[in-house]
């Protein structure tokens, strides 16, 4: 394994995919950093799942993490290298959005109807999923800024981030479906 540290980032710069050097303050770096936060919190949620009958939840979390990784790669790719990236790596497609929508429908159908605002905190696992959801929303807002700066390679990234945050919301409620939800107001 190569050394973990390179000293390339010591002056506040980093490299995008395919080697373009940018400031660590670049909006793309901010965006894929938020996506990384989301993936990491989902890793905690997956690791603390204590019900062995939650394989579908674990599989869903892993699928979300993998889709987020692809979005992150697309965000980290300079526009002039995107065609090259698409030849070598997976990229977000309409089919992936449909998969997420199908998952939302499945978990919503199998979760009690909720007619009030829910506060996070019914369980540790759902809380980490809710943290991930809020970070996914932050990544979505940052992705809008990437788009506004004409740096977004694939507009489906923005759509998928929106759907993933919806999936994370219903996934957290599904985890707690046998518990009492915490109402935001009494």
């Amino acid at each position: 394994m190569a050394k973990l540290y390179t000293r390339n980032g010591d002056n506040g710069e980093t490299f995008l995919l395919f080697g373009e050097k940018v400031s660590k303050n670049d909006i793309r770096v901010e965006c894929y950093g938020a996506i990384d936060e989301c993936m990491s919190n989902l890793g905690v949620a997956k690791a603390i799942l204590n019900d062995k009958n939650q394989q579908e939840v674990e599989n869903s979390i892993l699928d979300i993490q993998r889709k987020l990784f692809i979005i992150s790669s697309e965000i980290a790719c300079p526009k002039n290298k995107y065609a090259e990236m698409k030849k070598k790596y997976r990229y977000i497609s309409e089919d992936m959005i449909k998969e997420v929508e199908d998952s939302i429908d499945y978990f919503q159908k199998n979760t009690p109807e909720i007619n009030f605002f829910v506060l996070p905190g019914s369980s540790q696992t759902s809380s980490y999923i809710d943290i991930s959801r809020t970070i996914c929303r932050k990544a979505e807002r940052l992705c809008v800024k990437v788009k506004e700066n004409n740096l977004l390679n694939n507009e489906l990234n923005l759509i998928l981030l929106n759907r993933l945050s919806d999936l994370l919301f219903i996934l957290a409620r599904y985890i707690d479906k046998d518990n009492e939800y915490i109402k935001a107001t009494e």
Side-chain angles (χ1 to χ4, degrees):
M1 176 181 209
K3 283 189 176 187
L4 189 56
Y5 60 90
T6 62
R7 296 188 173 115
N8 288 327
D10 292 352
N11 292 320
E13 296 177 319
T14 191
F15 292 97
L16 297 177
L17 199 58
F18 297 104
E20 181 181 320
K21 198 172 196 177
V22 297
S23 168
K24 288 185 177 182
N25 194 30
D26 187 286
I27 191 61
R28 293 166 291 188
V29 177
E30 288 284 327
C31 187
Y32 68 68
I35 292 169
D36 191 32
E37 285 179 57
C38 184
M39 287 188 294
S40 297
N41 276 284
L42 284 170
V44 175
K46 186 168 46 106
I48 63 173
L49 272 172
N50 55 9
D51 186 346
K52 297 301 177 196
N53 296 322
Q54 295 284 4
Q55 190 64 47
E56 63 192 354
V57 173
E58 187 174 331
N59 291 343
S60 185
I61 290 172
L62 185 59
D63 183 63
I64 293 166
Q65 287 175 302
R66 287 182 171 147
K67 283 178 173 58
L68 287 167
F69 185 83
I70 295 168
I71 294 170
S72 181
S73 298
E74 288 199 36
I75 300 286
C77 182
K79 285 195 92 162
N80 64 341
K81 297 289 186 175
Y82 187 63
E84 182 179 345
M85 190 212 89
K86 286 175 69 174
K87 291 178 188 173
K88 295 181 179 183
Y89 305 108
R90 291 187 69 198
Y91 54 92
I92 299 304
S93 66
E94 301 246 357
D95 289 341
M96 291 180 187
I97 294 169
K98 176 73 169 104
E99 289 169 12
V100 172
E101 289 171 346
D102 290 345
S103 291
I104 293 167
D105 294 342
Y106 170 80
F107 287 112
Q108 188 171 12
K109 182 177 73 177
N110 291 288
T111 301
E113 186 174 341
I114 304 167
N115 297 317
F116 51 86
F117 287 103
V118 176
L119 291 178
S122 292
S123 70
Q124 190 175 26
T125 303
S126 70
S127 295
Y128 275 104
I129 292 172
D130 277 319
I131 290 168
S132 300
R133 173 185 50 80
T134 63
I135 297 169
C136 190
R137 288 283 188 211
K138 175 171 64 173
E140 181 184 2
R141 291 188 303 271
L142 291 167
C143 190
V144 169
K145 288 184 180 181
V146 171
K147 179 182 174 184
E148 288 171 349
N149 283 286
N150 197 32
L151 297 170
L152 187 61
N153 291 307
N154 183 351
E155 300 226 1
L156 296 178
N157 289 296
L158 193 52
I159 296 168
L160 188 56
L161 283 169
N162 184 275
R163 293 302 182 285
L164 288 173
S165 60
D166 292 338
L167 176 55
L168 291 169
F169 173 82
I170 198 62
L171 199 59
R173 305 299 70 82
Y174 177 83
I175 294 266
D176 292 336
K177 68 182 178 184
D178 296 327
N179 301 329
E180 189 172 331
Y181 299 123
I182 303 169
K183 292 182 179 181
T185 59
E186 293 188 275

